[in-house]
Amino acid sequence: MYIKINRLLFFVLFLFLVGCAPKYSQYISKYKTTATNTAPDYSNLFYWAAHPWKNDPSDSVPKPLRDEYKIDSSVDVFFIYPTTFTDEKETRWNADINDPAINAKTDYSPILYQASVFNEYRIFSPRYRQAHVRAYFTTDTANANAAFNLAYEDIKIAFQYYLDHYNHGRPIIIASHSQGSTHAQRLLKEFFDNKPLQKQLVAAYVMGMYISNKEFGSLKMCNDTLQTGCICGWRTFKKEYEPDFVIKENGTGLVTNPLTGTVSSDFIDHSLNKGSILLKFNHLKKHLVGAEIHDGILWIGRLHVPAGFLIRRKNFHIGDVNLFYINIRDDVRRRVNGFSRSTNNKAV
């Protein structure tokens, strides 16, 4: 029992730390710069956390997946990472774009553990002056809104730079988590929704944030596994748990099930979860947890780990991506193939 509990505690520790991968501090010296610019310069690869023209942690492939790994350079992924500006003692509202600790934390946590889901395709992930995490919880809405607006402005400029210099008509996948999804929804609305660029959208994976049923016009949630030009998104909670803010949303949130890529409300058994990537990047945990859609959120069942029934955590936001790593990866592949077939048929 002692060994089982130790394993359980290790897993629980992961859920708190996955957004902040272990030992990233050892990489901080790599990010020290003499740059004095206060805004990112996207002509400089330093200001991309992930980019096809540089070696970065998003290129990493978990060891169990390496034999089947292949890259398709005809499709691009624009990934917007979550908040890594979280120091409780911090007084600034936006991150310093040159901060070595924040950049190392970003690259060796969400870029490694989340963006890598999409690395069968070309990944572009811009550094941006992200809002401090307290912007989500403060009553100082003026400063919070200004912080989010500044962060989004960087994302918008980076995306336009990407379009002007790198895209060249390629199909696009938008992917994001947490604060990244706050900005991704604005980006989708401004550049894709009822816009010509929507024709290049394979799919958008907007994970970890509320998506209102009134947010978009022509962009819809993905109803089936082969649909393209649509959105997949979810927020993960323990089954039977309904946070107060979800109750206030009154069922207006849109959600897909990452185990199926559909909007079906059926419970999907843990046996169909093809694999999670947790604290150990090269260790694949199969059949960890099942999931179902409930009233605008994603409910997960019991975690199939030793003494999993003892886990009392209710909000699994930190594991939105990692709990479903392989299913997301397969879903992207299916939609890319579907988009390619559809495009070829139109060409004929």
Side-chain angles (χ1 to χ4, degrees):
M1 185 64 179
Y2 176 77
I3 294 175
K4 288 185 176 181
I5 293 298
N6 272 350
R7 288 176 181 169
L8 170 63
L9 293 176
F10 179 81
F11 180 77
V12 172
L13 181 63
F14 150 73
L15 290 171
F16 283 96
L17 297 181
V18 68
C20 174
K23 299 182 180 178
Y24 71 83
S25 57
Q26 67 182 294
Y27 302 105
I28 289 177
S29 61
K30 291 174 49 179
Y31 294 86
K32 291 183 178 178
T33 176
T34 58
T36 58
N37 52 312
T38 56
D41 171 12
Y42 294 114
S43 67
N44 185 340
L45 291 185
F46 178 81
Y47 295 103
W48 292 89
H51 194 288
W53 295 356
K54 65 188 283 189
N55 293 322
D56 60 72
S58 76
D59 300 324
S60 303
V61 179
K63 189 174 181 179
L65 306 182
R66 290 175 190 169
D67 288 345
E68 64 177 32
Y69 174 72
K70 57 183 179 179
I71 189 165
D72 178 358
S73 60
S74 69
V75 178
D76 290 346
V77 177
F78 192 84
F79 179 80
I80 312 174
Y81 54 80
T83 310
T84 53
F85 186 36
T86 58
D87 189 340
E88 293 181 0
K89 298 179 181 178
E90 182 59 64
T91 59
R92 293 173 297 175
W93 283 95
N94 291 87
D96 177 354
I97 197 68
N98 298 307
D99 189 300
I102 294 173
N103 290 338
K105 181 180 179 181
T106 296
D107 290 9
Y108 287 92
S109 47
I111 297 301
L112 174 62
Y113 279 82
Q114 296 181 340
S116 65
V117 170
F118 303 92
N119 66 13
E120 291 189 330
Y121 312 97
R122 302 200 314 169
I123 300 178
F124 297 83
S125 184
R127 302 198 190 284
Y128 65 100
R129 289 170 290 180
Q130 57 183 290
H132 192 277
V133 68
R134 73 175 177 279
Y136 281 104
F137 308 105
T138 184
T139 57
D140 187 351
T141 55
N143 275 319
N145 288 337
F148 285 126
N149 287 336
L150 178 63
Y152 176 70
E153 194 61 28
D154 284 352
I155 295 296
K156 178 180 175 180
I157 291 171
F159 187 69
Q160 188 62 60
Y161 189 91
Y162 154 78
L163 289 177
D164 294 342
H165 294 86
Y166 302 125
N167 177 256
H168 304 301
R170 285 181 174 84
I172 302 170
I173 295 166
I174 300 295
S176 59
H177 182 244
S178 199
Q179 180 173 163
S181 292
T182 295
H183 305 309
Q185 292 189 59
R186 292 182 68 175
L187 193 76
L188 286 165
K189 204 165 185 178
E190 187 166 355
F191 284 86
F192 292 89
D193 196 24
N194 288 312
K195 307 291 195 308
L197 197 61
Q198 187 172 340
K199 294 179 181 178
Q200 289 176 235
L201 183 67
V202 176
Y205 294 83
V206 184
M207 300 170 284
M209 278 292 167
Y210 169 66
I211 305 173
S212 170
N213 60 5
K214 297 181 180 179
E215 186 67 24
F216 300 108
S218 59
L219 286 175
K220 307 297 182 185
M221 299 302 283
C222 297
N223 288 314
D224 62 59
T225 58
L226 298 178
Q227 185 180 350
T228 60
C230 54
I231 300 172
C232 293
W234 57 89
R235 295 169 292 165
T236 312
F237 300 93
K238 188 175 182 180
K239 190 171 183 177
E240 308 299 339
Y241 176 60
E242 292 183 305
D244 289 342
F245 58 84
V246 169
I247 294 173
K248 290 178 182 178
E249 291 164 6
N250 196 28
T252 59
L254 300 177
V255 60
T256 54
N257 190 324
L259 294 180
T260 61
T262 72
V263 295
S264 169
S265 59
D266 294 340
F267 178 77
I268 306 303
D269 189 73
H270 71 283
S271 62
L272 296 180
N273 188 327
K274 297 179 181 179
S276 309
I277 297 294
L278 307 181
L279 193 59
K280 293 183 178 180
F281 184 76
N282 286 316
H283 178 71
L284 177 66
K285 174 64 178 175
K286 292 186 177 180
H287 314 313
L288 178 64
V289 69
E292 66 181 284
I293 293 173
H294 171 80
D295 211 13
I297 58 176
L298 186 74
W299 271 355
I300 59 172
R302 180 175 73 84
L303 299 172
H304 289 265
V305 294
F309 66 93
L310 294 177
I311 295 175
R312 294 290 179 258
R313 188 176 182 84
K314 296 179 179 180
N315 187 337
F316 285 82
H317 175 76
I318 203 77
D320 282 322
V321 181
N322 302 84
L323 292 172
F324 313 106
Y325 193 99
I326 305 302
N327 288 72
I328 299 171
R329 197 174 178 88
D330 286 353
D331 189 88
V332 176
R333 191 182 296 130
R334 282 195 306 271
R335 296 190 198 280
V336 167
N337 290 339
F339 185 90
S340 178
R341 287 195 298 270
S342 175
T343 302
N344 290 337
N345 289 337
K346 289 178 182 178
V348 173

